[in-house]
Amino acid sequence: MLRIDKLLANMGYGTRKEVKKLLKAGVVKVDGTIVKDAKIHVDPKAQVVTVWEEEVEYKPFIYLMMNKPKGVISATEDAVEETVVDLLEEGDRIFDPFPVGRLDKDTEGLLLLTNDGQLAHQLLSPKKHVPKTYEAIIDGEVTEADVAAFQRGVVLDDGYETKPAELVIIRSGLRSDVQVTITEGKFHQIKRMFQAIGKRVIYLKRIQMGPISLDETLEPGEYRELTDEEIALLKGEDKK
């Protein structure tokens, strides 16, 4: 059961204030009866809600792709720092989405946000080994020996040995451009992996998570809803 104003705001009919104006105007009906009280609870799966005689199509979940900018933390709220949820429009925040996993404050790129806890668990479960690919700029020359070390797995500063990771050298030099794919998500993992081989990450951007790639048309801080096809890919469904 949902309050009628929350339901309509969730479905894109405006802010709570704007929805209350619709209710007062008498254009909202539940099972054919005009409803003006914003506090009334409805069951959107069992009852028919209309606005201007058009049926409201209820969706319980929201799935967003964000190009996370630097300087923003991957959290739902924080007393000091700006969070990725702060970047969302009110009509999307009202769904109470949360980031699927975390990107460091100074890391940018692909971040998924949803209120679908089951999907989030599926993507984050260590048993699923969901691959995540990053672009990185490294202070130092990355060599084929480093590629082999990543393939074997490296020992981090706390003694943990990582699972094999794929390191691809795009350009090697005093500063090297690389791509790294890992299947786990330890704290600051990629930075610590390069630290373990005596090098430092100076730029990091996630470009892919599982089957979903970052939409390169999204500027840092911008986001969009996932397409039905992208959602199906994340859920492992066959859209034929």
Side-chain angles (χ1 to χ4, degrees), residues 65-66 109-112 133 206-218 224 226 230 233-234:
M65 172 195 295
M66 176 182 287
L110 175 62
L111 184 68
L112 301 177
T133 301
R206 183 158 66 192
I207 59 172
Q208 188 166 353
M209 183 174 185
I212 302 300
S213 296
L214 176 65
D215 184 338
E216 293 294 346
T217 66
L218 294 174
R224 66 165 173 80
L226 294 183
E230 288 169 333
L233 284 171
L234 283 175

Side-chain angles (χ1 to χ4, degrees), residues 14-81:
T15 63
R16 290 283 187 99
K17 187 176 181 180
E18 291 167 339
V19 165
K20 285 178 181 177
K21 289 182 180 179
L22 288 176
L23 289 162
K24 286 181 180 179
V27 300
V28 180
K29 294 181 180 179
V30 178
D31 291 335
T33 301
I34 292 175
V35 171
K36 293 189 175 183
D37 185 355
K39 297 178 182 178
I40 285 179
H41 284 73
V42 297
D43 182 352
K45 294 181 181 178
Q47 296 176 284
V48 176
V49 179
T50 59
V51 178
W52 299 109
E53 302 298 337
E54 289 187 2
E55 186 171 342
V56 175
E57 184 180 349
Y58 173 66
K59 60 175 184 178
F61 297 120
I62 190 169
Y63 304 93
L64 304 173
M65 172 195 295
M66 176 182 287
N67 184 357
K68 177 196 164 302
K70 290 182 179 180
V72 178
I73 64 172
S74 300
T76 55
E77 58 183 347
D78 190 272
V80 179
E81 304 281 2

Side-chain angles (χ1 to χ4, degrees), residues 61-64 98-101 112-125 128 130 209 211-212 226-228 230-237:
F61 297 120
I62 190 169
Y63 304 93
L64 304 173
F98 53 87
V100 180
L112 301 177
L113 297 99
T114 185
N115 57 353
D116 186 342
Q118 184 175 351
L119 177 62
H121 174 74
Q122 180 178 322
L123 292 172
L124 296 175
S125 172
K128 297 291 184 179
V130 174
M209 183 174 185
I212 302 300
L226 294 183
T227 65
D228 290 343
E230 288 169 333
I231 295 169
L233 284 171
L234 283 175
K235 293 182 176 181
E237 297 171 354

Side-chain angles (χ1 to χ4, degrees), residues 98-110:
F98 53 87
V100 180
R102 293 179 181 272
L103 289 179
D104 300 338
K105 182 179 177 180
D106 60 349
T107 299
E108 59 186 64
L110 175 62

Side-chain angles (χ1 to χ4, degrees), residues 94-231:
I94 209 161
F95 279 88
D96 296 325
F98 53 87
V100 180
R102 293 179 181 272
L103 289 179
D104 300 338
K105 182 179 177 180
D106 60 349
T107 299
E108 59 186 64
L110 175 62
L111 184 68
L112 301 177
L113 297 99
T114 185
N115 57 353
D116 186 342
Q118 184 175 351
L119 177 62
H121 174 74
Q122 180 178 322
L123 292 172
L124 296 175
S125 172
K127 296 179 181 179
K128 297 291 184 179
H129 305 300
V130 174
K132 295 171 281 287
T133 301
Y134 298 77
E135 291 178 344
I137 299 175
I138 308 302
D139 184 12
E141 185 177 0
V142 179
T143 67
E144 291 301 326
D146 298 329
V147 172
F150 271 49
Q151 182 58 50
R152 291 191 301 270
V154 301
V155 179
L156 302 182
D157 47 12
D158 60 358
Y160 176 80
E161 184 174 351
T162 68
K163 290 183 170 59
E166 182 182 8
L167 172 59
V168 177
I169 300 172
I170 307 300
R171 183 182 64 85
S172 184
L174 294 178
R175 284 193 173 185
S176 300
D177 298 332
V178 301
Q179 279 191 4
V180 186
T181 301
I182 59 176
T183 58
E184 50 191 344
K186 299 297 180 183
F187 182 68
H188 293 322
Q189 180 168 337
I190 291 179
K191 294 175 182 177
R192 293 164 68 201
M193 289 179 76
F194 277 102
Q195 185 180 6
I197 60 172
K199 296 180 175 68
R200 183 171 66 92
V201 174
I202 55 179
Y203 172 81
L204 192 61
K205 176 181 180 180
R206 183 158 66 192
I207 59 172
Q208 188 166 353
M209 183 174 185
I212 302 300
S213 296
L214 176 65
D215 184 338
E216 293 294 346
T217 66
L218 294 174
E219 296 292 332
E222 292 184 341
Y223 69 96
R224 66 165 173 80
E225 288 198 53
L226 294 183
T227 65
D228 290 343
E229 289 75 17
E230 288 169 333
I231 295 169

